[in-house]
Amino acid sequence: MKVNQAEFIISAVRPNQYPVDALPELALAGRSNVGKSSLINRMINRKNLARTSSKPGKTQQLNYYRINNDLYFVDLPGYGYAQVSKTEREKWGKFIEEYLLGREFLKLVLLIIDLRHPPSKDDEAMYSWLKHNGVPVCIVTTKADKIPKGKWQKHAKIIKEALGADKSDPFIMFSSELGLGKDELWSVIEQRIGYGREEGEESREIGEASVVEPDSGDQEE
């Protein structure tokens, strides 16, 4: 998808603030500071449309970004931040659960995990919850540029095994710095929302073909 227009629409804190134009929605879920905002900026070729923050837990709303009048990226509150009160975490959790289970325009959740580290217990719980509830998910591992290319496969295997990842779920290695995985992720998104197909045409399944593997070139230190 060629991005010609991207704009921030709203920070929604309750359902009656969600957009009503019925565009497909792609939600980004992950730990605080895992790189969700940087991923959005790389995907739309903008430096700071999605604001990055050095303060984990800053995002406490559903931040909607409209792309080309074709879809929304919806940045969910980061989870796993200890300094947020238990009451606030429970409040966010209920809000996010209602969105993920009840939002009819949600087409796919991008579960964002740092490639450098094994999934946290929160990452594992989120993936298990999404699978249990039948919510379509794509695993995206960020910050691939922070480790040598020759170690990507090892780290990817650790993440897949820890999550108990379903082989039918796309798994994409991503780097906001290098642009690695950008085209592959757009391909997964386009396929999921039916972009470029005639209305009513049956959707194809997203399978293992969507997995992005590193090339066989020399290691990068």
Side-chain angles (χ1 to χ4, degrees):
M1 179 181 291
K2 182 178 180 181
V3 177
N4 298 312
Q5 183 180 15
E7 57 184 328
F8 170 76
I9 299 300
I10 192 172
S11 291
V13 296
R14 52 185 180 272
N16 65 3
Q17 294 180 324
Y18 298 161
V20 295
D21 47 8
L23 293 179
E25 297 178 10
L26 290 301
L28 289 82
R31 295 190 68 190
S32 297
N33 274 10
V34 76
K36 293 188 277 96
S37 296
S38 296
L39 183 149
I40 291 173
N41 288 330
R42 169 57 78 170
M43 291 293 287
I44 62 177
N45 297 319
R46 296 276 290 274
K47 289 186 177 180
N48 58 2
L49 179 65
R51 299 293 180 88
T52 59
S53 174
S54 60
K55 297 180 179 179
K58 183 178 180 181
T59 301
Q60 301 180 21
Q61 315 89 10
L62 271 62
N63 288 329
Y64 272 82
Y65 302 90
R66 187 166 59 206
I67 315 301
N68 284 356
N69 292 316
D70 289 320
L71 60 91
Y72 286 103
F73 283 134
V74 185
D75 189 7
L76 305 182
Y79 52 73
Y81 185 53
Q83 291 187 31
V84 177
S85 71
K86 182 178 179 181
T87 300
E88 278 298 299
R89 289 200 303 270
E90 290 176 350
K91 179 181 177 182
W92 295 359
K94 187 173 186 298
F95 178 42
I96 300 308
E97 179 176 323
E98 290 174 351
Y99 169 79
L100 293 173
L101 293 181
R103 183 63 171 164
E104 62 179 307
F105 306 116
L106 177 64
K107 301 301 181 183
L108 183 68
V109 173
L110 307 180
L111 180 59
I112 316 298
I113 296 174
D114 190 329
L115 182 62
R116 298 173 297 176
H117 309 297
S120 68
K121 294 300 182 184
D122 289 319
D123 293 326
E124 294 177 12
M126 174 61 80
Y127 181 76
S128 178
W129 185 89
L130 291 168
K131 296 301 293 183
H132 175 76
N133 287 285
V135 180
V137 59
C138 171
I139 302 165
V140 183
T141 56
T142 56
K143 307 187 181 183
D145 57 287
K146 304 298 184 183
I147 58 177
K149 184 186 294 185
K151 295 183 179 179
W152 287 352
Q153 285 281 24
K154 176 183 176 182
H155 285 248
K157 182 180 180 182
I158 290 171
I159 290 172
K160 291 176 183 178
E161 290 181 349
L163 293 177
D166 189 326
K167 291 183 178 180
S168 67
D169 291 333
F171 184 99
I172 295 180
M173 296 183 196
F174 197 91
S175 167
S176 297
E177 293 294 325
L178 304 177
L180 173 79
K182 174 185 171 183
D183 291 341
E184 291 80 7
L185 183 52
W186 269 125
S187 179
V188 169
I189 291 171
E190 290 170 4
Q191 189 175 346
R192 185 67 203 177
I193 69 174
Y195 179 79
R197 292 199 300 269
E198 293 296 328
E199 186 175 353
E201 183 178 346
E202 186 174 349
S203 198
R204 293 174 296 170
E205 293 295 326
I206 298 176
E208 292 180 83
S210 298
V211 176
V212 178
E213 303 290 358
D215 61 35
S216 55
D218 297 333
Q219 292 187 13
E220 292 183 354
E221 296 298 334

